[in-house]
Amino acid sequence: AHYDVTISYVGHAEAWDRIDLTALAARDATVAYRREGKTLAVATIGRDRTSLEAEAAFERNDVAALAEFGLTR
């Protein structure tokens, strides 16, 4: 936890050229790190289910599902 906020991080992004952010309120957000259109990692705050869904999408290599993170969820 960082300042009493838990940040969940799935994937691995050493470098990226785009970040997509969906934030509904303080301590409620999804950030997707992308390079050349590919989702490399997803970070969430206050969205445990979204983090688990991202983890499952990475495990399945579900490119379509990964493209939605940071845009709609």
Side-chain angles (χ1 to χ4, degrees):
H2 184 69
Y3 293 103
D4 296 321
V5 176
T6 299
I7 301 170
S8 299
Y9 183 83
V10 180
H12 180 73
E14 289 185 25
W16 54 89
D17 58 21
R18 182 173 130 200
I19 295 175
D20 292 314
L21 169 68
T22 302
L24 299 176
R27 298 182 184 212
D28 181 13
T30 300
V31 180
Y33 298 86
R34 306 190 204 287
R35 184 174 55 233
E36 298 178 3
K38 180 180 178 184
T39 304
L40 304 173
V42 174
T44 61
I45 299 171
R47 297 182 179 189
D48 292 340
R49 182 181 175 121
T50 300
S51 181
L52 291 171
E53 290 170 349
E55 181 177 12
F58 276 113
E59 288 174 356
R60 294 189 314 268
N61 196 28
D62 188 340
V63 175
L66 290 168
E68 296 297 317
F69 290 95
L71 300 176
T72 61
R73 34 176 158 176

